[in-house]
Amino acid sequence: MTQRGLPKRQRLIGLWLLLSGISLLGGAIFAAWLDAQFAPTGVTRIALWLGSFSGGATIFLVGLLLERMLFTPLRHLQVQLARLVANPDARDEHPPEGWLKGLGPDLCRVRDSWRTDRSLLATAHAEGARSAARIRQELETLLQVLETPLLLCDHHRRLMLFNQAAEDFFDGNNGLGLGKRLEALLPVASLQQVLDQLPDDGSPRELLAPCDDRWLKIILRRVPGSDRETLLTFSDATASWSSEMGVRAELADMLTPLRQHTASLTSAADALIQLRNQNDASTSSLRQRFERVIQEECTTLGDNVAKIGQLLDDLQHQGERLTPMWSNDFWQALDERLDPAHRLITPVGMPAWFKGDAPALIALFDSLVKHLSAHLPDSGFEGELCLGNKRVYLDLIWRGKAIPEHELAEWRQQPLTSLPLNPSVADVLRQHASDIWSLADDDSVHARLRLPLPAIERVGAPRETAPPRPEFHDFGIADLPPPDEALASRALRSLEVVAFDTETTGLELRRGDTVISLGACRVVNARLLASEVFDQKVDPQRPIPPASTAIHGLTDADVAGAPPLDIVLTRFRDYVGDAVLLAHNAAFDLLAISHKGVAFDIPVIDTLLLSRALDEALDGHDLDSLAQRYDLAFPPGTRHTALGDARVTAELWLALLPRLEARGVDTLEQLLALQANAFDRQDASAV
Amino acid sequence: MARVLVVDDEPNIVLSIEFLMEQAGFEVVTADDGEQALAMVNDSQPDLLLLDISLPGISGFDVLERLRGEEATAHLPIIMLTAHGRDVEREKGLALGADDYITKPFSTQALVEKVQALLSEEQP
């Protein structure tokens, strides 16, 4: 027999009433027999009858006494202890009573000591963690504002950290998530090789790798002094690589016709020189032909030179340093540089995107504005981006006259000392394949300085930056066991768990009821990740009965346009990855997601069975009762939503963990055995 | 009088080379594609070939390879005269058996001298 807890309350009460009844009945028969045998009278007869009933009555009264004074207080004590284990601040609804009343002060002392200890621990922890938290805060801020997408992975290639830029960069890629394997994000064999061969001294290695129709330039370096942790930074090399290669190839192709036509030209010129020495009438037609050849080749060469010039322009436009910029951002950055205290430039007109080398352009405009300011009254400037054909014009506008060209010619020679190598204004203009000129406006009041730049095809203002994710790093991941270690022997705290829940059209899953909403959340390192969630409505392809809507609130309109179950299940399987599944009353939810051909052949933890296994004697193992028992709150409106229930299930799992560990259930194997045992007992009692 | 076959599809340069070679005392025949060049080698029995690479139909490399593959023309002096100026192309031309590889644009004087030098080497 396996270990059993207290017998069920009902079983005990039944036994007690049965014994009392049998005793009373036996007493009655015995009394009747004595009465018939001896025919006592008066007091003797009363004593005989009372004596015969005394056994049954004693059993009944003792049972009643035990139930009131011992068993009920014991049950209450059990509930209270379960609450205390989960949370020392839990409500004290059942102070010890009956014969256990004496335990009250001791229990209070235990709880108070625990609270005090916990508070002391928390203070100590807070003290110790304060400086770490400050460093962490600075690191987080730095990481989130950093525009370079970066990832940090442990020596098992599990992601321990990623920043906002990485999240934007890998938008739509399910492989990005704490604890997930790098291979899931970037299934590139060469990446594995480079990772294996990275030097430990932190020197970087570069890799160009394909990913989702893009070419990614990846820079990898081992974090020195770490446990073989690796930092990866990314850039999208697709555009610069292909455009640069394209222009280079075109330039190389241009060389051959250039050689060809130059050869024809020089040969014809040589021939003509020789003909000059034979100046007779017979050679005049030949001379004319050579002259025509020279003329043709000159024209062709001129065309070729123009094409090369265009290609060089393209090369500069597509150069990596010319990056897209939003004009309002540019004017603001320029204004801050010119005079942080006062606003000198007012952006006017419609903002738009253009392409340029931002630091160089800001230095250039800084120089130009300072020159302009020396000539003009201190009335400030307007900045406008005008759209031209394939180009945009950055215009600085002021009240006054246009600047004469000879003056601009001098300005072009000015060095920009704030830039590396001190290029001149003309150098920066050349870099942008551009020039500057000054025009008087039609209103004869204003004039402008114009700088043409390549436009880019983008619509709309820059995207508002998404709020940073609450979780983007967990360095504890590095302490997890290797992912290929047998799951069965994994410690429960190190398990990656996906808690999930389904809402359905009804409870008759075998008779056509199906999923309308699937929600899940992830627990990594015994920590519930707030934003690593899966929340998807499903088109059930059948009407939702009003009785079902009354529970979860979802109507046909809510799920209209949602993907069907097979698509959602495929996405969900991707989301689950290598994690273990967790659900409350998992049998139902597993049946709900087993409709289509997506296999979930992974271990499943059921908090309902675990709760029964832990507290067999207690009633109420439904999610609401357990949430109340363990002081878990459903945020308003989230009960009976798939994600809301999944979250509470995950929190319930975290509350059950210490109790499981206290009973020596440390590994997944032991947990599944305990769960199977509870299932067998439930099965047996059902039979 | 030595006979030079000029193979090039660019009529302007053929015109000039033809004239300059004639001025230097050579008889000149011309072809403007690879097939015609191979036919002319048989028909005209030239003493030297000036061979371009980019030709309509079969390429100059192909012509060179075929001529070197036949016993009669295995030692016919061939100068590649081409706008393909990369090192690897020059190496390929010489590897396939060209006697010289001249990249356009070129000095006509130097070309004539090279032709003369090659032909004098051929004569006993």
Side-chain angles (χ1 to χ4, degrees), chain A residues 246-261:
Chain A
V247 173
R248 276 187 196 165
E250 282 185 67
L251 269 176
D253 287 347
M254 283 303 298
L255 193 60
T256 302
L258 209 60
R259 287 179 188 279
Q260 180 76 44
H261 295 296

Side-chain angles (χ1 to χ4, degrees), chain A residues 255-257 259-264 266-268 270-272 274-275 278 286 289-290 293 296-297, chain B residues 8 10 12-13 15-17 19-20 23 52 54 82-86 103-109:
Chain A
L255 193 60
T256 302
R259 287 179 188 279
Q260 180 76 44
H261 295 296
T262 310
S264 296
T266 52
S267 306
D270 282 348
L272 204 59
Q274 290 210 10
L275 268 179
Q278 307 165 18
L286 198 56
R289 285 178 65 187
F290 283 131
V293 166
E296 282 173 12
E297 296 299 349
Chain B
D8 203 314
E10 183 57 49
N12 283 349
I13 198 156
L15 180 70
S16 306
I17 291 174
F19 172 75
L20 290 166
Q23 290 294 305
D52 190 14
S54 297
T82 172
H84 292 266
R86 290 194 300 153
T103 307
K104 295 174 183 175
F106 52 88
S107 151
T108 50
Q109 183 59 36

Side-chain angles (χ1 to χ4, degrees), chain A residues 535-660:
Chain A
D535 189 11
Q536 179 72 63
K537 299 215 173 30
V538 182
D539 180 1
Q541 295 169 338
R542 57 174 291 179
I544 302 174
S548 162
T549 300
I551 294 172
H552 44 61
L554 292 174
T555 62
D556 291 333
D558 292 325
V559 296
L565 185 58
D566 50 351
I567 290 179
V568 172
L569 285 183
T570 309
R571 287 182 198 163
F572 180 56
R573 187 66 192 85
D574 286 345
Y575 171 81
V576 172
D578 296 328
V580 173
L581 281 176
L582 171 79
H584 193 76
N585 191 12
F588 179 85
D589 295 295
L590 279 179
L591 184 62
I593 62 169
S594 66
H595 276 268
K596 303 280 175 178
V598 183
F600 289 91
D601 46 354
I602 39 181
V604 181
I605 303 171
D606 188 343
T607 42
L608 173 68
L609 291 175
L610 289 181
S611 177
R612 279 197 179 136
L614 286 172
D615 298 311
E616 195 190 351
L618 296 184
D619 295 327
H621 297 282
D622 57 288
L623 200 53
D624 287 312
S625 304
L626 289 173
Q628 197 191 10
R629 189 172 302 158
Y630 290 98
D631 251 8
L632 311 173
F634 288 94
T638 61
R639 177 67 177 119
H640 290 305
T641 64
L643 182 58
D645 288 2
R647 273 205 171 117
V648 171
T649 306
E651 285 177 7
L652 177 58
W653 158 248
L654 295 175
L656 291 176
L657 258 179
R659 297 197 58 207
L660 288 162

Side-chain angles (χ1 to χ4, degrees), chain A residues 431-452:
Chain A
Q431 179 199 356
H432 289 80
S434 188
D435 201 352
I436 44 170
W437 60 85
S438 184
L439 303 163
D441 278 8
D442 291 340
D443 62 6
S444 307
V445 177
H446 293 93
R448 63 182 66 211
L449 186 75
R450 168 160 283 190
L451 193 155

Side-chain angles (χ1 to χ4, degrees), chain A residues 282-357:
Chain A
S282 64
T283 58
S284 73
S285 72
L286 198 56
R287 187 181 298 117
Q288 279 173 8
R289 285 178 65 187
F290 283 131
E291 283 169 356
R292 206 164 45 245
V293 166
I294 288 172
Q295 205 174 14
E296 282 173 12
E297 296 299 349
C298 282
T299 311
T300 316
L301 274 175
D303 292 345
N304 281 338
V305 169
K307 265 188 209 166
I308 289 174
Q310 184 62 49
L311 285 173
L312 283 171
D313 271 2
D314 290 349
L315 197 61
Q316 276 178 318
H317 293 173
Q318 293 166 358
E320 269 188 88
R321 297 196 65 193
L322 301 193
T323 49
M325 232 183 310
W326 182 242
S327 59
N328 280 355
D329 292 345
F330 174 77
W331 295 124
Q332 190 184 340
L334 176 62
D335 211 12
E336 279 168 13
R337 171 167 169 145
L338 287 168
D339 185 354
H342 300 96
R343 198 147 181 87
L344 261 181
I345 298 178
T346 311
V348 297
M350 287 293 290
W353 289 96
F354 67 95
K355 214 171 178 188
D357 177 349

